[in-house]
Amino acid sequence: MKLFAFPIAPNPTKVRLYLAEKRVGGCAIPLEEIMVDLTKGEQKSPEHLARNPFGLLPSLELDDGRYVWESLAIIEYLEERFPEPSLLGRDPETRALRRQLERIADIGVLISIGRLVHTTDSPLGLPPEPAVADYFRRRLAPNLDYLESVLADGRPLLAGDEVTIGDCTLAAALQFGRFRKLEFLADHPNLRRWDEAYRGREAAQGILVL
Ligand SMILES: N[C@@H](CCC(=O)N[C@@H](CS)C(=O)NCC(=O)O)C(=O)O
């Protein structure tokens, strides 16, 4: 398999953190990582459009030549093929609750930060859109507040003691904010504690570079 990705870009980073957590947990998923340079527009080349019709990253090339190109679909596919160590949990209720946390980290936080960055100081050169930035700043707030409340019992990771896919998504999102010097955690001490601890994890080394 081949994973097409790019450093710091949050959606590929979320998958790369997932792979690193699996590796540190004892499961080295056999896969080659290939970088597609977003800053040069390589994601819109005919070559990459064949890997993802929307010209986005990440994209996973399967051994049979087909592509899976939504970050969560990639993670869930790999999790089904390589179930141990589980980053989702073993019973249906645990899996549902961990997916729920991941959806909040993705839809509520990663997408909001991504849109905020791209409408204020886009590394892809997109034009500023202050009204859209305001909308996503407002949308981000209750999601961070919710995750702050989840961490209020002192748990080290989003779902408790075990690392789960939501941790990977949240860490990728916050790094993208730091990339543009956006600080979101001033009023969220539990999230700051989580963030510092997550950045110190073995799996984060070399992937969270900011
Ligand atoms: N929903 C998709 C989003 C993919 C996405 O937006 N990827 C960004 C990088 S984080 C991208 O490739 N952007 C390039 C562009 O917009 O041209 C996923 O979860 O994989």
Side-chain angles (χ1 to χ4, degrees):
M1 290 184 290
K2 291 179 186 161
L3 179 73
F4 296 88
F6 194 60
I8 299 175
N11 289 291
T13 298
K14 141 187 175 180
V15 178
R16 294 178 71 219
L17 285 172
Y18 164 82
L19 290 168
E21 292 289 0
K22 294 292 270 194
R23 180 178 43 73
V24 170
C27 173
I29 296 179
L31 158 166
E32 181 187 356
E33 287 190 22
I34 296 170
M35 297 300 142
V36 174
D37 194 336
L38 295 178
T39 65
K40 294 185 179 154
E42 288 178 2
Q43 74 278 19
K44 305 299 183 205
S45 66
E47 202 181 9
H48 188 71
L49 288 169
R51 301 176 193 126
N52 176 330
F54 293 98
L56 297 173
L57 295 172
S59 183
L60 179 73
E61 183 178 339
L62 304 179
D63 290 335
D64 67 7
R66 286 182 291 175
Y67 292 95
V68 181
W69 37 258
E70 273 289 322
S71 54
L72 187 58
I74 292 171
I75 288 173
E76 296 244 8
Y77 166 72
L78 294 173
E79 195 67 0
E80 283 183 28
R81 274 197 61 190
F82 304 93
E84 295 296 335
S86 175
L87 267 72
L88 262 177
R90 283 157 200 89
D91 62 85
E93 291 75 20
T94 301
R95 294 167 78 84
L97 292 168
R98 290 178 176 186
R99 283 190 173 103
Q100 174 175 290
L101 279 172
E102 196 282 333
R103 295 289 71 206
I104 292 161
D106 190 2
I107 299 168
V109 179
L110 188 150
I111 292 177
S112 298
I113 291 179
R115 295 301 300 140
L116 244 172
V117 166
H118 282 297
T119 52
T120 53
D121 186 15
S122 172
L124 300 181
L126 301 176
E129 294 182 73
V132 179
D134 277 352
Y135 169 79
F136 281 102
R137 205 172 279 112
R138 282 198 305 276
R139 193 173 119 172
L140 175 62
N143 291 283
L144 287 180
D145 291 349
Y146 176 71
L147 295 178
E148 176 74 6
S149 75
V150 166
L151 293 166
D153 60 8
R155 61 180 67 187
L157 291 154
L158 275 189
D161 292 331
E162 291 179 9
V163 69
T164 60
I165 58 176
D167 295 294
C168 303
T169 301
L170 185 60
L174 293 175
Q175 173 177 249
F176 197 52
R178 284 194 297 277
F179 174 51
R180 282 321 204 214
K181 309 267 185 289
L182 294 176
E183 173 51 67
F184 302 109
L185 304 185
D187 299 326
H188 295 85
N190 299 325
L191 275 167
R192 280 206 307 280
R193 167 180 58 76
W194 171 89
D195 183 47
E196 197 175 322
Y198 193 86
R199 286 155 76 181
R201 286 178 71 79
E202 185 180 341
Q205 307 316 305
I207 297 176
L208 293 182
V209 292
L210 296 172

